[in-house]
Amino acid sequence: MTRQMTGAKMVVQALKDQGVDTVFGYPGGAVLPIYDEIFQQNDIRHILVRHEQGAVHAAEGYARSTGKPGVVLVTSGPAATNAVTGLTDALMDSIPIVVLTGQVPTFMIGTDGFQEADTVGITRPCTKHNWLVKDTNKLSEVIHQAFHVATTGRPGPTLVDIPKDVQFATGDYTPPAKSRTDHYRPQLKGDVAAITQLVELMEAAERPIFYTGGGVINSGPQASLLLRELVEATGFPITSTLMGLGAYPASGDKWLGMLGMHGLYEANMAMHDCDLMINIGARFDDRITGRLDSFSPESKKAHIDIDASSINKVIHVDIPIIGDVAHVLEDLLRIWKSRGRKVNKDGLKGWWEQIGKWKAVNCLNYTNSDTIIKPQYALERLEELTRGMDRYVTTEVGQHQMWAAQFLGFDEPNRWMTSGGLGTMGYGLPASNGVQIAHPDALVINVAGDASFMMNMQEISTAVQFRLPVKQFILNNERLGMVRQWQQLLHGERYSQSWTESLPDFPKLAEAMGCKGRTVKDPAELDDAIREMIEYDGPFLLEVLVEKHENCFPMIPSGEPHNKMLLGDAQATDAIGDDGAVLV
Amino acid sequence: MAALKIKKGASRKSAYDLRDPHAEVIERHTLAVVVDNEAGVLARVIGLFSGRGYNIESLTVAEVDHTGHRSRITIVTTGTPQVIEQIKAQLGRIVPVHEVHDLTVEGAAVERELALFKVAGSGERRVEALRLADIFRANVVDSTLESFVFEITGSPEKIDAFADLMRPLGLAELARTGVAALARGAE
């Protein structure tokens, strides 16, 4: 029995059959039939954004905080091109989203029609896969395949481009169970021989370290539980990339903190000096490795990744294991237990003693002030006053993002949403909207900088319309802080274009859009301001006027290895050589 | 710590058969990529090469299984062993790609290319061109009193050699198809 319906109705039916409850979107000429169907049903909630980039970031926030795919519906041409940044962001950070775009009718494709763009051509390199559907009979199957591809294997964004005549025409609906998805079946189980080799190394290692990433979170809650069991059972130290924060609890005693360019001293030193590095769902990104030829020179390296192309891409590893993190960790634990739960106790004792010495450096130390709010202090107080709450944090991109990663602690996965790979300023506010939609009763905070916030600040209007009580925590230094820091360290303190001469009055801006706002600049009033922000029942913008010239430390300068970290301004002069200067 | 005792190629599913990525020699590999014959699939493959800065020396594509909607793309590429491994892994990620075969390392393979040569001339040069074409087993597929079009099939090296010989004899135009390749043997 086949069901006949219009293409537009098929879109809504397919979304329902995929269990979609929320769509982030913006209507326009080429998707009007679908919006007409949205109007005539109540199962799927449509969130009207203010800009298509905001729709995609909101869907990313929704996806990252739930583990479910985020869905976007926008029109053709400029809407599709506006979605490109969000698609690239989701591709870099492996976030499952499905974007549906309208297209001019099939008979107009190629004629430079009004609001026509070659959407599948433009988005081919920034999606995991995309489709242009020219036949209504194939539409529903393609949408089901788009969900399958977005959520299977290494997650990522998919896009389905739907010409307007395909939406109007009638065709056969194919339910999910009858859609062909068998071709795309990434390998989940790791090679047992390789896992056994890794266990052998773990039994002998004197200075092991777990280096985990976003793959643990993408693998699902079971992966985080298995990781915690593995860490506690072995007693090995663990560090994580920016994307992996929360997979292992920040309050755990094996936790070394984030690693990388602005990672913690103890985490980076342990990575450099370890003799066994176990990479679980991370990808040796350049923010992590620093100088490649002196990256962790004395270690054997194992790499667990579901994407074969991540293995040996930049760092040669000794034990490659292709598979899903949860599946591999399950086998790893089973094999390690069956061989007698052995670890090198003497080696580990000395290793933890060494780590204790590095921790004693207290690398996040900063000079506080009682007259001006230090950004680090603002985040310390935010952490203190929100600890234990049902809290989700998004960020924009820059210094504030790194400080948030350093000073906020995440004890659960899916609680931390940030643009890691692409580094998209303007991600945090729309992402916070998406998170709040998925978790209506939770405390959702976007830690922002003044410059990043302004890149998508129109989305405050979305928050107000849908009564999303998101908290915008803006560290305002009237600078592009990270750009300014690099110009200070690298370009002779010539601060080219890295400050804004006419910032808005942020609380007034918030109020103009129906959001509550407040400014705080006295450290003594900070706690009160944060409490007001948390307790206010509705969207709230807190502008924190912070020290303008604070630099983010620790820092691995470009072109240097992990053990050449800068811990403060005193060390930073001329720290970056000519080779490092060409790196980003 | 004890040296690793990993047997290379222990399992088809393992990545142990990855080659030494430290070698910096540039190698030439012929890859056969079996894909769904759908719109845009060639653009995905070419976009991968241009987007990630890989080389394409030649590329041929045609449908090989009409009922199964499969096409075969044969790519000749160059790079260090690490880059070649990356190319194969990246090709494998493309959703409509079914199989990626590295014919250069998967045992013996035959490579063939077809080329058409237009050679214009008269007198002794014309006779000499015809004589060489005979030696190379090229066919004459068009002829006028001042020209020939030769059709020649062979390895890319053979076609290079024939081009070198034809150039002083009045080579006017040359069209090559790029390489088609298959593994030798029954499988």
Side-chain angles (χ1 to χ4, degrees), chain A residues 127-381:
Chain A
T127 52
K128 193 171 162 189
H129 195 57
N130 63 11
W131 295 260
L132 168 64
V133 182
K134 289 183 170 176
D135 177 357
T136 306
N137 288 307
K138 293 184 177 157
L139 177 59
S140 52
E141 183 173 44
V142 166
I143 293 174
H144 297 313
Q145 288 170 341
F147 276 88
H148 173 73
V149 170
T151 54
T152 311
R154 181 175 176 178
T158 57
L159 181 143
V160 183
D161 199 25
I162 312 170
K164 197 170 181 182
D165 55 334
V166 173
Q167 300 169 32
F168 274 122
T170 302
D172 290 335
Y173 180 79
T174 310
K178 292 197 174 160
S179 298
R180 286 168 298 138
T181 54
D182 51 321
H183 160 43
Y184 187 71
R185 294 275 175 215
Q187 178 183 333
L188 297 176
K189 297 284 276 184
D191 184 69
V192 171
I195 296 172
T196 308
Q197 287 286 347
L198 173 55
V199 169
E200 285 174 17
L201 291 184
M202 286 168 61
E203 289 168 349
E206 294 176 357
R207 304 187 305 281
I209 187 166
F210 290 114
Y211 149 44
T212 63
V216 182
I217 290 166
N218 278 334
S219 178
Q222 186 65 17
S224 290
L225 289 176
L226 288 163
L227 176 70
R228 289 162 190 225
E229 184 185 346
L230 182 66
V231 171
E232 298 312 327
T234 56
F236 293 179
I238 175 169
T239 179
S240 164
T241 66
L242 183 73
M243 299 309 294
L245 297 178
Y248 181 82
S251 56
D253 63 354
K254 307 294 184 292
W255 177 240
L256 301 187
M258 182 178 77
L259 81 161
M261 181 174 272
H262 292 288
L264 270 65
Y265 183 72
E266 49 268 39
N268 285 331
M269 290 301 283
M271 284 287 280
H272 188 268
D273 284 2
C274 67
D275 67 351
L276 174 63
M277 177 186 298
I278 306 163
N279 174 343
I280 306 175
R283 60 182 179 90
F284 295 109
D285 178 79
D286 58 77
R287 300 293 97 166
I288 296 304
T289 58
R291 187 187 180 115
L292 287 175
D293 60 8
S294 15
F295 173 71
S296 193
E298 288 169 18
S299 60
K300 295 284 186 203
K301 298 175 185 73
H303 187 180
I304 301 166
D305 203 302
I306 200 162
D307 179 0
S309 75
S310 284
I311 290 175
N312 286 345
K313 184 166 65 178
V314 286
I315 296 287
H316 176 63
V317 296
D318 304 284
I319 303 186
I321 301 171
I322 300 167
D324 169 64
V325 166
H327 284 81
V328 173
L329 289 186
E330 196 176 9
D331 284 343
L332 181 65
L333 265 164
R334 182 174 49 75
I335 293 168
W336 179 73
K337 286 176 183 170
S338 71
R339 289 166 55 101
R341 300 167 173 261
K342 291 193 286 272
V343 293
N344 183 338
K345 287 206 175 92
D346 290 342
L348 276 177
K349 187 162 173 289
W351 183 222
W352 276 108
E353 280 168 13
Q354 175 60 60
I355 289 169
K357 287 177 195 161
W358 289 326
K359 280 190 171 180
V361 168
N362 194 14
C363 68
L364 294 182
N365 194 27
Y366 63 94
T367 311
N368 209 353
S369 157
D370 52 10
T371 55
I372 192 154
I373 299 174
K374 291 286 187 139
Q376 300 96 323
Y377 178 71
L379 285 160
E380 275 186 335
R381 294 315 302 160

Side-chain angles (χ1 to χ4, degrees), chain A residues 252-572:
Chain A
D253 63 354
K254 307 294 184 292
W255 177 240
L256 301 187
M258 182 178 77
L259 81 161
M261 181 174 272
H262 292 288
L264 270 65
Y265 183 72
E266 49 268 39
N268 285 331
M269 290 301 283
M271 284 287 280
H272 188 268
D273 284 2
C274 67
D275 67 351
L276 174 63
M277 177 186 298
I278 306 163
N279 174 343
I280 306 175
R283 60 182 179 90
F284 295 109
D285 178 79
D286 58 77
R287 300 293 97 166
I288 296 304
T289 58
R291 187 187 180 115
L292 287 175
D293 60 8
S294 15
F295 173 71
S296 193
E298 288 169 18
S299 60
K300 295 284 186 203
K301 298 175 185 73
H303 187 180
I304 301 166
D305 203 302
I306 200 162
D307 179 0
S309 75
S310 284
I311 290 175
N312 286 345
K313 184 166 65 178
V314 286
I315 296 287
H316 176 63
V317 296
D318 304 284
I319 303 186
I321 301 171
I322 300 167
D324 169 64
V325 166
H327 284 81
V328 173
L329 289 186
E330 196 176 9
D331 284 343
L332 181 65
L333 265 164
R334 182 174 49 75
I335 293 168
W336 179 73
K337 286 176 183 170
S338 71
R339 289 166 55 101
R341 300 167 173 261
K342 291 193 286 272
V343 293
N344 183 338
K345 287 206 175 92
D346 290 342
L348 276 177
K349 187 162 173 289
W351 183 222
W352 276 108
E353 280 168 13
Q354 175 60 60
I355 289 169
K357 287 177 195 161
W358 289 326
K359 280 190 171 180
V361 168
N362 194 14
C363 68
L364 294 182
N365 194 27
Y366 63 94
T367 311
N368 209 353
S369 157
D370 52 10
T371 55
I372 192 154
I373 299 174
K374 291 286 187 139
Q376 300 96 323
Y377 178 71
L379 285 160
E380 275 186 335
R381 294 315 302 160
L382 183 70
E383 168 74 357
E384 179 67 26
L385 295 171
T386 59
R387 185 175 293 154
M389 292 183 178
D390 183 18
R391 181 188 75 179
Y392 293 79
V393 175
T394 68
T395 76
E396 305 287 347
V397 169
Q399 284 182 323
H400 68 274
Q401 178 190 28
M402 294 296 108
W403 281 315
Q406 291 171 344
F407 286 91
L408 302 181
F410 299 93
D411 284 351
E412 298 296 334
N414 305 101
R415 297 281 173 157
W416 163 251
M417 275 58 56
T418 192
S419 172
L422 195 64
T424 310
M425 292 171 73
Y427 167 88
L429 165 51
S432 70
N433 284 344
V435 174
Q436 190 81 71
I437 291 282
H439 308 277
D441 300 323
L443 173 63
V444 181
I445 304 168
N446 174 33
V447 176
D450 49 287
S452 277
F453 178 81
M454 291 184 72
M455 281 217 181
N456 266 326
M457 64 183 181
Q458 77 284 347
E459 295 303 322
I460 281 288
S461 179
T462 306
V464 171
Q465 178 177 342
F466 293 92
R467 302 174 195 280
L468 307 175
V470 291
K471 315 301 179 189
Q472 306 302 317
F473 189 74
I474 302 177
L475 301 177
N476 183 358
N477 60 1
E478 301 171 15
R479 302 286 183 279
L480 312 185
M482 194 60 95
V483 172
R484 192 209 62 78
Q485 175 168 345
W486 280 57
Q487 287 172 336
Q488 180 190 338
L489 298 181
L490 202 65
H491 292 278
E493 303 184 41
R494 292 179 295 280
Y495 298 119
S496 180
Q497 306 297 321
S498 57
W499 80 94
T500 322
E501 280 196 24
S502 59
L503 281 171
D505 179 326
F506 281 101
K508 273 190 186 161
L509 178 76
E511 279 158 24
M513 289 202 252
C515 170
K516 181 117 170 91
R518 175 172 172 177
T519 296
V520 59
K521 64 176 185 179
D522 180 352
E525 290 175 18
L526 180 62
D527 280 15
D528 181 65
I530 292 175
R531 280 199 192 91
E532 185 189 353
M533 175 184 85
I534 297 167
E535 285 159 15
Y536 182 72
D537 182 20
F540 193 100
L541 185 156
L542 179 59
E543 177 193 31
V544 185
L545 296 175
V546 296
E547 161 66 48
K548 294 178 177 35
H549 302 113
E550 192 73 13
N551 284 332
C552 185
F553 292 110
M555 178 181 183
I556 303 176
S558 297
E560 296 292 349
H562 279 172
N563 60 347
K564 295 269 176 8
M565 295 194 80
L566 308 176
L567 294 173
D569 276 318
Q571 297 175 327

Side-chain angles (χ1 to χ4, degrees), chain B residues 127-169:
Chain B
V127 176
E128 181 63 17
L130 191 61
R131 195 179 298 135
L132 284 166
D134 191 42
I135 293 168
F136 275 76
R137 294 179 198 175
N139 298 319
V140 178
V141 292
D142 179 70
S143 169
T144 68
L145 293 175
E146 292 90 31
S147 71
F148 289 117
V149 174
F150 296 121
E151 171 205 306
I152 182 168
T153 308
S155 68
E157 293 76 19
K158 176 181 168 181
I159 291 168
D160 288 343
F162 190 62
D164 288 343
L165 290 170
M166 288 300 115
R167 215 160 270 127
L169 299 177

Side-chain angles (χ1 to χ4, degrees), chain B residues 47-165:
Chain B
L48 169 68
F49 276 75
S50 63
R52 293 185 183 265
Y54 306 142
N55 298 315
I56 297 179
E57 293 217 332
S58 91
L59 185 147
T60 63
V61 56
E63 189 175 69
V64 291
D65 175 3
H66 186 66
T67 50
H69 300 289
R70 296 290 167 83
S71 291
R72 185 179 173 108
I73 302 174
T74 308
I75 306 166
V76 179
T77 184
T78 56
T80 62
Q82 184 178 11
V83 167
I84 301 283
E85 291 305 327
Q86 258 301 294
I87 290 172
K88 288 189 275 183
Q90 293 287 353
L91 284 169
R93 290 173 79 191
I94 298 176
V95 173
V97 168
H98 288 258
E99 296 165 37
V100 180
H101 295 288
D102 186 344
L103 297 174
T104 305
V105 297
E106 289 178 11
V110 283
E111 293 190 1
R112 288 293 180 271
E113 188 175 1
L114 185 144
L116 297 173
F117 285 76
K118 182 175 285 183
V119 182
S122 57
E124 189 53 35
R125 291 206 305 171
R126 182 173 153 82
V127 176
E128 181 63 17
L130 191 61
R131 195 179 298 135
L132 284 166
D134 191 42
I135 293 168
F136 275 76
R137 294 179 198 175
N139 298 319
V140 178
V141 292
D142 179 70
S143 169
T144 68
L145 293 175
E146 292 90 31
S147 71
F148 289 117
V149 174
F150 296 121
E151 171 205 306
I152 182 168
T153 308
S155 68
E157 293 76 19
K158 176 181 168 181
I159 291 168
D160 288 343
F162 190 62
D164 288 343
L165 290 170

